[in-house]
Amino acid sequence: MRGVFFLFWICLLLAPSLSQAQDSAYLAELIADARQRNLADSPEWQTLLHYRRVLGGMESFADDETFFNAPGGKTNPQLELEATLRSFFVPQTKEQAASGEETVQHPQCRFIARYEWLKSEQGFDAGRLPEQPCSRFNEWYTSLNPAGITLIFPAAYLNNPASMFGHTFLRIDATGQDEKTRLLAYTTSYAAATLGEGGAVFALKGLFGGYRGGFSVK
């Protein structure tokens, strides 16, 4: 009887190590597959990360460090892809499962577009890479109920380019939307955080990228 209990506790102790070894093996397979197929060089991946060609290589338009999983991900699409795959294997914490805060979302949910694209390309095995629940995203997506997108120019005067292009946004057309409900549709835009500045300072910073920008959905 003691021998059975001894074997039971040994199995419990070894289980995490065996699981980690299996995760590492599958991660290595996915990285090898991505390298062989040059997924980091695909237009889809480079669009998701906002990469552009610059002198000497690639660079992302994004400046926020939290947008990348790898320290050098801003200028290295391959390094960022492998770090992203690695982040998908991180176990979900109790805080991530219980909280809707963006700062604690699991990487599969924080970078859901990257996850879905890599999943479609590599055919993730759910038994070896469990899919994490993304309740916050699902609630947000359900509330939008999107059926289409329309590009809106609020100011149609070409002699006023600051308004013509600076105020451009996308209207999210919901399922069943009609002329009467169109004004209630959600919109998404990317705008500069000017903090109320105006005059010459506003003009100079606006022209030379002196403001931080951010996306919003309202």
Side-chain angles (χ1 to χ4, degrees):
M1 194 69 176
R2 290 182 178 178
V4 174
F5 281 111
F6 178 75
L7 289 174
F8 174 75
W9 286 110
I10 289 294
C11 290
L12 286 180
L13 292 172
L14 291 178
S17 299
L18 292 173
S19 177
Q20 291 175 2
Q22 292 172 352
D23 290 350
S24 298
Y26 188 42
L27 173 61
E29 289 180 25
L30 293 176
I31 290 177
D33 174 69
R35 289 177 179 175
Q36 182 180 6
R37 297 167 55 198
N38 296 317
L39 292 183
D41 296 330
S42 67
E44 293 85 357
W45 178 252
Q46 294 183 2
T47 298
L48 284 172
L49 274 295
H50 307 291
Y51 286 115
R52 59 179 175 176
R53 293 200 174 276
V54 296
L55 185 63
M58 303 288 293
E59 185 178 31
S60 174
F61 278 110
D63 294 320
D64 192 338
E65 293 181 357
T66 61
F67 187 73
F68 305 98
N69 289 291
K74 181 177 173 65
T75 57
N76 192 322
Q78 182 66 42
L79 191 66
E80 178 61 22
L81 188 148
E82 294 180 13
T84 299
L85 284 173
R86 193 173 293 109
S87 73
F88 292 159
F89 284 84
V90 175
Q92 187 178 57
T93 65
K94 292 181 179 179
E95 289 77 13
Q96 288 171 340
S99 174
E101 295 297 326
E102 183 178 0
T103 54
V104 295
Q105 285 190 102
H106 190 275
Q108 289 185 18
C109 305
R110 287 182 59 213
F111 306 111
I112 195 165
R114 304 180 206 181
Y115 174 79
E116 291 296 337
W117 181 74
L118 286 168
K119 177 184 175 182
S120 68
E121 287 292 319
Q122 298 191 281
F124 292 161
D125 183 346
R128 305 175 72 185
L129 175 55
E131 186 166 303
Q132 302 296 334
C134 299
S135 57
R136 183 171 180 265
F137 170 81
N138 291 331
E139 290 173 5
W140 172 77
Y141 187 81
T142 300
S143 67
L144 294 180
N145 192 23
I149 290 180
T150 302
L151 177 63
I152 302 295
F153 292 94
Y157 300 101
L158 291 177
N159 63 342
N160 189 359
S163 292
M164 178 68 177
F165 298 103
H167 297 162
T168 303
F169 60 87
L170 296 174
R171 186 184 69 217
I172 304 173
D173 299 316
T175 302
Q177 178 178 292
D178 55 29
E179 294 291 339
K180 296 180 180 179
T181 60
R182 184 168 294 169
L183 289 176
L184 301 177
Y186 284 96
T187 62
T188 180
S189 64
Y190 181 81
T194 63
L195 302 178
E197 291 182 334
V201 174
F202 170 78
L204 288 172
K205 285 188 175 181
L207 287 171
F208 295 102
Y211 292 112
R212 291 183 63 86
F215 288 95
S216 62
V217 178
K218 298 179 180 178

